[in-house]
Amino acid sequence: MSDILTRNKADSLTIYLSMSVPNFHPLEYYLKLVSTRWASYEISLETLSQQSNAKDGEPVKYSAKFGCQILQS
């Protein structure tokens, strides 16, 4: 992990994955890691969501973490 974040002097790493689900919108996973001053990494944002079937509805968030706050539905 440290090689990835320090190779180009990046201070964060973002991962986005999408998994298809038959007859539904895909599941989407988002993870953002940020480096801390103590040579460790902190999850600054993590979500698992799926777009609702409503045309303009908000995505359903199965799990969400923003800093130290964890929200689950």
Side-chain angles (χ1 to χ4, degrees):
M1 191 66 138
S2 61
D3 288 341
I4 294 171
L5 291 179
T6 58
R7 183 173 295 147
N8 293 319
K9 302 190 191 278
D11 61 356
S12 66
L13 173 68
T14 302
I15 298 170
Y16 172 79
L17 301 170
S18 179
M19 183 180 90
S20 60
V21 179
N23 303 316
F24 293 96
H25 292 281
L27 282 171
E28 298 176 337
Y29 178 73
Y30 181 88
L31 174 69
K32 182 174 181 181
L33 298 173
V34 294
S35 59
T36 65
R37 58 184 173 164
W38 301 109
S40 62
Y41 304 95
E42 177 181 284
I43 297 173
S44 67
L45 178 61
E46 182 180 30
T47 61
L48 176 63
S49 62
Q50 186 175 36
Q51 184 64 43
S52 66
N53 286 329
K55 289 183 181 178
D56 53 34
E58 289 289 315
V60 175
K61 289 188 178 176
Y62 296 105
S63 178
K65 179 185 185 298
F66 303 98
C68 295
Q69 253 186 340
I70 297 175
L71 310 170
Q72 293 184 336
S73 59

